[in-house]
């Protein structure tokens, strides 16, 4: 990958994770390993192997798609093996797709592949090797899709799920409408021994073709009864050590290096709540890559500086996980008109927002990014997202957008595997509302560029008499905001309230732009007026455009 920003290009690491693997090396728990530059990581959840109507055509198509990844600037493919207990290869330990009579027709191609003796994970691995990609098998430690999908329930689950202590019990997120209390409990010996057996099968099966194994704890990090994760952390640590020993054994046997990546919740605190003692794992050289990630959406600036600092101290790569999905919004424009907000909003990340995320995590010191759930074949919008990460030499000349990421899904519940975001925030009359906006570059020298702050408001914003906006302790706006109405507001139950009006403030002149600083910027908003109905701040974005 050619880079303009050397630290970013070889630091940013997009994980291609096609979920299914593990590697063993020497019998020791930790051995010194050369630290490879894995470049951009891309995580594929395994759907790429079933896009055609015959096993042969599916595998030809999968090989073709893998072969195209290097031309997009992707360096590492991480391929998912399945959904924890139901896997897309002819497993002898878990259940293969199509094992029971209630298999959804959506998964029929998986069964056809398996019945024909085809292993999509192996095909992806060989194609990655041939294309010069690094290849990781990605295994989901506790996937939750089985709860609402009977066709994804394994033979093991159906046999044991009624046993005392098999499931975690009380639902940690009763507000969501999914009974997460059914999640398998890693404190139950049969659960963890079954998971270990699957992982060891992954390692033995794919050690020759893979560079390493990804353990995806983020899908889903509910592995113990509510609020007992940290007290049970030794259980996960013991499992991780056994996996590390297995990887080292196979590495020694095959005379190669096998790496271990862990995909974890978005902060150190949320990981610890889940029982993931990631700093301890880094200190003992048991893991080589750590990938903090929100569960469903891109967060523009996860507070992962402490994880990054530990990675630098212990020679462990830290990669920020990003997605295609974000909150419903509109493209950022320097001179917005009413027609720009006439159509419905889009919930996909723009390339400009992805560039902002790239700059943010570069400034924090992350090695790179992992792209997750952006499925092949890529459409035009997907390609723009991928290139926003891989073509870093264009970062300074292309538009970019920074944002305060809002709540989504788990964020509305108690702070456990996710954390409360700053938005949405109800605005109260005459009260100071403080926010932090992270900006991944120094904008003071962006001459000839438009820089603007955009606020998205829900509710009776037309009744606001005045807004006072302070940026880094300096008043930048005082008066009645000129609002543009959104013609077709849209949201859903998992997202922030729909934006009804936008207000945009230009910060283009040198004095205002000079208030912005690389890193944290402190924003204060005071709403003035007799606003009797609630006004909610749903969106804050800072755009840099041509």
């Amino acid at each position: 990958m050619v880079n303009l920003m050397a630290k970013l290009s070889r630091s940013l690491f997009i994980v291609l994770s096609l979920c299914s693997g593990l590697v063993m090396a020497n019998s020791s728990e930790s051995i010194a390993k050369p630290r490879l530059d894995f470049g951009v990581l891309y995580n594929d959840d395994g759907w790429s192997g079933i896009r055609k109507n015959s096993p042969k055509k599916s595998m030809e198509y999968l090989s073709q798609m893998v072969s195209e990844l290097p031309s997009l600037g992707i360096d590492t493919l991480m391929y998912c093996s399945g959904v924890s207990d139901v896997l897309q290869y002819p497993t002898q330990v878990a259940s293969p797709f199509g094992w029971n009579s209630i298999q959804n027709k959506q998964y029929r191609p998986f069964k056809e592949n398996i019945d024909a003796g085809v292993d999509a994970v192996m095909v992806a691995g060989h194609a990655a090797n041939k294309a010069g990609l690094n290849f990781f098998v990605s295994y989901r430690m506790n996937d939750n899709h089985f709860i609402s999908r009977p066709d994804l329930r394994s033979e093991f689950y159906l046999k044991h799920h009624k046993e005392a202590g098999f499931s975690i019990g009380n639902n940690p997120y009763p507000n969501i409408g999914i009974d997460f209390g059914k999640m398998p409990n890693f404190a139950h010996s049969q659960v963890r021994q079954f998971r270990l057996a699957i992982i060891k099968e992954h390692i033995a099966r794919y050690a020759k073709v893979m560079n390493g194994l990804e353990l995806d704890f983020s899908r889903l990090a509910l592995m113990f009864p509510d609020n007992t994760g940290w007290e049970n952390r030794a259980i996960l640590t013991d499992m991780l050590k056994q996996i590390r020993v297995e990887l080292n054994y196979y590495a020694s046997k095959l005379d190669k290096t096998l790496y271990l990546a862990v995909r974890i919740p978005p902060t150190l605190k949320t990981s610890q709540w889940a029982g993931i003692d990631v700093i301890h794992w880094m200190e003992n050289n048991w893991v080589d890559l750590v990938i903090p990630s929100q569960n469903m959406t891109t967060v523009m600036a996860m507070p992962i500086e402490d994880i990054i600092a530990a990675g630098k101290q212990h020679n462990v790569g830290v990669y920020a996980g990003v997605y295609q999905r974000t909150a419903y919004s509109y493209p950022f424009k320097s001179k917005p008109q009413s027609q720009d907000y006439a159509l419905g909003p889009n919930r996909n990340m723009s390339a400009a927002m992805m560039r902002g995320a790239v700059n943010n995590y570069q400034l924090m010191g992350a090695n790179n990014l992992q792209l997750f759930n952006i499925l092949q074949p890529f459409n035009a919008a997907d390609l723009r997202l991928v290139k926003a990460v891989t073509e870093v030499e264009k970062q300074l000349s292309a538009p970019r957008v920074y944002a305060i990421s809002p709540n989504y899904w788990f964020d509305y519940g108690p702070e456990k595997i996710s954390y409360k975001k700053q938005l949405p925030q109800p605005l109260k009359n005459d009260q100071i509302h403080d926010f932090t906006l992270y900006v991944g570059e120094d904008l003071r020298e962006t001459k000839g560029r438009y820089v603007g702050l955009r606020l998205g408001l829900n509710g009776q914003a037309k009744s606001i008499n005045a807004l006072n906006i302070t940026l880094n302790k300096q008043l930048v706006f005082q008066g009645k905001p000129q609002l543009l109405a959104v013609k077709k507001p849209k949201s859903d139950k998992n997202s922030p309230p729909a934006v009804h009006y936008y207000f945009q403030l230009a910060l283009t002149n040198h004095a205002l732009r000079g208030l912005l600083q690389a890193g944290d910027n402190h924003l204060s908003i005071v709403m003035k007026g007799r606003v009797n109905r609630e006004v909610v701040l749903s969106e804050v974005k800072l755009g840099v455009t041509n």
Side-chain angles (χ1 to χ4, degrees):
M1 206 177 187
V2 181
N3 54 288
L4 174 85
M5 306 175 180
K7 292 182 180 178
L8 173 64
S9 179
R10 289 291 104 183
S11 252
L12 279 172
F13 183 70
I14 302 175
V15 179
L16 254 141
S17 177
L18 294 119
C19 154
S20 156
L22 215 90
V23 187
M24 314 186 208
N26 204 308
S27 60
S28 63
E29 293 171 1
S30 64
I31 54 176
K33 299 174 290 298
R35 186 68 63 221
L36 285 185
D37 174 8
F38 289 98
V40 170
L41 308 177
Y42 169 74
N43 183 305
D44 186 320
D45 71 358
W47 287 102
S48 302
I50 60 166
R51 293 303 177 96
K52 297 295 179 181
N53 57 8
S54 76
K56 181 180 179 182
K57 289 182 179 179
S58 286
M59 294 307 99
E60 290 174 350
Y61 187 56
L62 173 59
S63 296
Q64 176 187 338
M65 287 190 291
V66 171
S67 71
E68 293 171 357
L69 294 174
S71 66
L72 300 176
I74 289 170
D75 302 289
T76 298
L77 169 65
M78 303 177 108
Y79 194 88
C80 179
S81 58
V83 288
S84 295
D85 295 2
V86 181
L87 305 172
Q88 62 161 304
Y89 66 88
T91 173
Q92 301 301 305
V93 178
S95 298
F97 276 103
W99 78 274
N100 62 25
S101 60
I102 58 172
Q103 275 291 321
N104 190 302
K105 65 180 181 180
Q106 185 179 15
Y107 301 111
R108 189 174 299 149
F110 278 133
K111 177 173 169 49
E112 292 173 354
N113 285 347
I114 293 168
D115 289 347
V118 174
D119 182 341
V121 180
M122 189 69 77
V123 170
H126 283 305
N129 293 166
K130 184 177 180 180
L133 290 162
N134 300 304
F135 180 69
F136 280 64
V137 179
S138 177
Y139 177 70
R140 293 184 176 181
M141 294 296 287
N142 218 22
D143 193 286
N144 64 284
H145 285 89
F146 76 93
I147 295 174
S148 56
R149 297 287 300 276
D151 53 305
L152 294 179
R153 292 172 189 170
S154 68
E155 185 176 8
F156 174 81
Y157 175 82
L158 293 177
K159 181 179 179 180
H160 296 287
H161 75 280
K162 293 183 180 180
E163 296 175 5
F166 179 89
S167 301
I168 65 173
N170 291 337
N171 188 353
Y173 286 93
N175 61 300
I176 287 180
I178 298 174
D179 187 5
F180 292 110
K182 294 180 179 179
M183 296 291 288
N185 176 16
F186 278 53
H188 191 284
S189 61
Q190 273 191 304
V191 170
R192 61 179 180 272
Q193 290 306 317
F194 181 61
R195 289 287 195 269
L196 277 170
I198 296 172
I199 291 168
K200 288 181 179 182
E201 181 183 57
H202 277 54
I203 295 171
R205 190 176 186 91
Y206 302 114
K208 288 184 179 180
V209 298
M210 71 183 186
N211 297 90
L213 172 71
E214 180 187 44
L215 301 179
D216 188 349
F217 289 97
S218 285
R219 286 293 180 100
L220 187 66
L222 297 174
M223 295 167 286
F224 296 105
D226 199 15
N227 295 316
T228 67
W230 188 240
E231 67 188 60
N232 283 307
R233 63 190 181 278
I235 291 175
L236 292 186
T237 294
D238 181 68
M239 288 183 68
L240 189 95
K241 288 163 65 176
Q242 292 185 58
I243 293 165
R244 179 76 266 174
V245 167
E246 197 79 353
L247 284 170
N248 291 350
Y249 166 76
Y250 275 90
S252 178
K253 181 179 179 179
L254 298 172
D255 192 26
K256 64 185 295 187
T257 301
L258 291 171
Y259 296 88
L260 182 57
V262 291
R263 190 166 175 267
I264 64 173
T267 67
L268 183 58
K269 182 180 178 180
T270 53
S271 294
Q272 290 173 338
W273 183 93
I276 299 168
D277 197 0
V278 67
I279 300 298
H280 184 52
W281 300 353
M282 297 164 87
E283 290 171 345
N284 286 277
N285 197 30
W286 295 328
V287 297
D288 306 292
L289 296 82
V290 174
I291 306 161
S293 181
Q294 183 78 0
N295 189 261
M296 295 288 285
T297 55
T298 291
V299 174
M300 297 293 290
M302 293 179 290
I304 57 173
E305 290 92 340
D306 46 7
I307 299 175
I308 291 171
K312 293 185 181 303
Q313 182 180 357
H314 302 293
N315 197 28
V316 174
V318 177
Y319 303 83
V322 295
Y323 294 81
Q324 179 189 54
R325 184 182 297 174
T326 184
Y328 286 101
S329 186
Y330 291 85
F332 189 98
K333 295 189 175 183
S334 58
K335 296 179 179 180
Q337 306 296 318
S338 58
Q339 61 266 28
D340 294 321
Y341 304 133
L343 301 177
N346 194 304
R347 66 178 309 175
N348 292 336
M349 287 280 287
S350 67
M353 284 188 69
M354 189 62 80
R355 292 186 197 101
V358 167
N359 286 347
N360 284 351
Y361 292 116
Q362 177 199 19
L363 184 63
M364 289 184 191
N367 291 77
N368 214 306
L369 304 183
Q370 179 195 51
L371 290 173
F372 194 92
N373 264 16
I374 304 177
L375 303 182
Q376 290 183 280
F378 298 134
N379 59 32
D382 296 334
L383 284 172
R384 288 193 290 270
L385 284 186
V386 172
K387 290 180 179 181
V389 179
T390 61
E391 295 182 350
V392 294
E393 69 276 7
K394 297 181 180 179
Q395 288 292 96
L396 295 180
S397 59
R400 52 255 189 221
V401 171
Y402 300 96
I404 297 177
S405 296
N407 284 339
Y408 183 81
W409 207 31
F410 283 113
D411 302 336
Y412 285 102
E415 289 201 4
K416 294 181 178 180
I417 61 172
S418 192
Y419 67 101
K420 294 285 187 185
K421 309 303 186 289
Q422 300 175 75
L423 299 176
Q425 174 59 55
L427 300 179
K428 304 298 183 183
N429 289 319
D430 301 314
Q431 291 186 16
I432 299 174
H433 301 280
D434 293 319
F435 307 93
T436 300
L437 172 64
Y438 196 92
V439 177
E441 62 178 302
D442 186 346
L443 291 172
R444 291 174 295 183
E445 300 304 321
T446 52
K447 297 178 180 178
R449 295 300 182 105
Y450 173 88
V451 179
L453 179 70
R454 188 174 80 178
L455 307 182
L457 300 165
N458 167 277
Q460 301 299 312
K462 278 287 189 181
S463 59
I464 298 174
N465 288 336
L467 283 179
N468 291 355
I469 302 176
T470 301
L471 179 62
N472 291 326
K473 299 183 179 181
Q474 296 293 316
L475 186 66
V476 295
F477 179 82
Q478 185 175 37
K480 188 172 181 62
Q482 297 296 312
L483 302 176
L484 287 177
V486 172
K487 299 295 176 59
K488 296 181 179 180
K490 185 178 180 179
S491 187
D492 58 44
K493 64 179 182 179
N494 298 316
S495 302
V499 171
H500 294 147
Y501 298 95
Y502 279 113
F503 168 63
Q504 190 159 313
L505 173 66
L507 301 174
T508 304
N509 73 64
H510 184 75
L512 292 179
R513 193 174 64 241
L515 296 175
L516 292 163
Q517 56 194 26
D520 286 340
N521 289 270
H522 302 289
L523 180 70
S524 295
I525 298 174
V526 178
M527 180 177 69
K528 301 284 187 179
R530 299 181 181 275
V531 183
N532 296 320
R533 295 186 181 181
E534 188 174 72
V535 174
V536 177
L537 182 64
S538 287
E539 177 184 311
V540 175
K541 288 184 176 174
L542 182 80
V544 183
T545 68
N546 296 326

